[in-house]
Amino acid sequence: MVTVQHGESVPAQLDSISADADLRMVPSSRLADGIVGADVLFLYDFSSPALESVWSSAAALRWVQVAAIGVDAVLFDGLIDSDVVVTNSRGIFEEPIAEYVLGQILAFAKDFRRSGDAQRLHRWEHFDSEPIAGASVTIVGPGPVGRAISRLLGAVGMSVRGVGRRAREDPDFGSITSDVRGAVADADYVVLAAPLTPQTRGMVDAGVLDAMRPTARLINVGRGELVDTGALVAALQAGVIAGAALDVVDPEPLPADHPLWSAPNVSLTPHNSGDIRGWRDLLQQQFIANFRRYVAGQPLHNVVDKQMTRYVSRGTG
């Protein structure tokens, strides 16, 4: 039996697997009604932690596919310690997120906000902009997303380095260091592409922000909790760094009265950096393809190392 846990958006392309499985569609709030007897769970509502609350009823479960790259919202000790296989959605979001990062870098370097403000006031105001070729970028998190970002930024002439759990040479980054503060000290842009783990939570604190250049910008496409939000607001207000582009924030969604909305030189987007048109269809197609492998007894694609998620900082490589 296959249970599909959904939120407000309900997947509509899964009928093709109904010949091979009893297909149940349940909202996250009613997962308890659909988990009993299910051997496959498609977590289409990828941010829901509901599975943990019904874990005692999931005795038949053998495989969970999460409709996201990051699985931090889903994992818990019982699932990690079990024989249940967890797969994620690598291969769908990496390139769009890399394009988003490049777009934010160009927006900063070319100061499109300034031009837009002048246009609204009908003012013709010439100014010089910054080049991106030769600019230095530190990417925290050399996983699949970080690698896609590195390849794209390298292709436009930017100098890229990675931050991971251990220093090493790497084909996508040239070199990876484990020294976060040292790696951000001479960077023009610092990009966070790390999933959330106990080791990465709050890693960008006041000390890391103070280590950055006053002309540097922070771009976060990982998780909002990677950053100490209070420290970031203070750093922006004091001019410790020159700006931030945030696709993820803490808290999320951002309350209307939060100071990040009006902090200087901040670009906020609603956690949609990877959501290109058709992304929901791609998630369903990916699950169907993996389900065909499951039925055929073939190895599943995108298997997550559950033990690694517990003991190693996944976001930093």
Side-chain angles (χ1 to χ4, degrees):
M1 185 179 75
V2 175
T3 294
V4 179
Q5 176 187 335
H6 62 82
E8 294 182 3
S9 176
V10 181
Q13 297 187 6
L14 302 181
D15 287 346
S16 63
I17 69 172
S18 59
D20 297 307
D22 176 11
L23 185 63
R24 295 184 185 177
M25 309 286 286
V26 297
S28 294
S29 60
R30 295 180 53 200
L31 183 58
D33 299 336
I35 197 63
V36 176
D39 57 313
V40 177
L41 175 63
F42 180 26
L43 275 171
Y44 193 67
D45 186 7
F46 57 86
S47 63
S48 170
L51 179 57
E52 183 174 10
S53 66
V54 302
W55 184 241
S56 61
S57 301
L61 198 59
R62 297 292 175 266
W63 167 39
V64 176
Q65 177 145 330
V66 183
I69 301 175
V71 295
D72 48 271
V74 174
L75 291 180
F76 53 93
D77 286 346
L79 177 55
I80 293 173
D81 293 333
S82 73
D83 292 330
V84 176
V85 176
V86 176
T87 57
N88 67 5
S89 297
R90 291 194 305 271
I92 293 177
F93 299 105
E94 292 91 334
E95 297 301 332
I97 293 175
E99 293 169 359
Y100 171 94
V101 171
L102 176 58
Q104 290 289 5
I105 289 173
L106 285 168
F108 280 129
K110 305 309 174 186
D111 207 348
F112 294 143
R113 178 178 294 182
R114 178 174 174 177
S115 295
D117 290 343
Q119 181 177 349
R120 281 188 289 273
L121 295 172
H122 296 192
R123 291 179 178 173
W124 188 269
E125 296 181 348
H126 180 271
F127 62 92
D128 296 339
S129 65
E130 305 168 15
I132 66 168
S136 58
V137 185
T138 292
I139 300 174
V140 182
V145 172
R147 292 181 183 280
I149 295 169
S150 177
R151 290 191 293 268
L152 185 58
L153 300 188
V156 297
M158 304 190 80
S159 175
V160 180
R161 76 173 66 169
V163 177
R165 69 181 186 273
R166 67 182 188 280
R168 61 191 187 273
E169 297 302 308
D170 185 272
D172 289 320
F173 292 90
S175 64
I176 293 175
T177 178
S178 59
D179 179 9
V180 177
R181 293 194 185 186
V184 305
D186 60 353
D188 296 304
Y189 300 91
V190 175
V191 179
L192 306 181
L196 183 65
T197 70
Q199 296 90 343
T200 62
R201 184 182 295 274
M203 65 186 306
V204 178
D205 55 14
V208 171
L209 293 166
D210 286 342
M212 292 173 62
R213 290 174 170 174
T215 55
R217 284 88 170 210
L218 178 72
I219 301 173
N220 190 1
V221 291
R223 288 290 185 265
E225 294 90 341
L226 300 176
V227 180
D228 180 332
T229 302
L232 176 59
V233 171
L236 289 163
Q237 291 174 341
V240 172
I241 63 173
L246 309 172
D247 187 52
V248 288
V249 291
D250 178 30
E252 189 175 309
L254 197 64
D257 60 350
H258 198 281
L260 261 181
W261 288 110
S262 55
N265 300 317
V266 170
S267 172
L268 291 168
T269 53
H271 203 152
N272 67 344
S273 60
D275 297 349
I276 56 172
R277 293 174 184 171
W279 66 277
R280 293 180 178 86
D281 294 341
L282 293 173
L283 286 172
Q284 295 174 68
Q285 293 163 14
Q286 187 183 60
F287 172 70
I288 291 169
N290 229 7
F291 178 75
R292 299 297 182 203
R293 299 182 67 84
Y294 177 79
V295 171
Q298 299 173 339
L300 296 174
H301 288 153
N302 295 347
V303 174
V304 173
D305 186 336
K306 296 185 295 178
Q307 293 299 328
M308 182 78 71
T309 65
R310 171 184 286 162
Y311 298 114
V312 176
S313 174
R314 283 174 289 136
T316 53

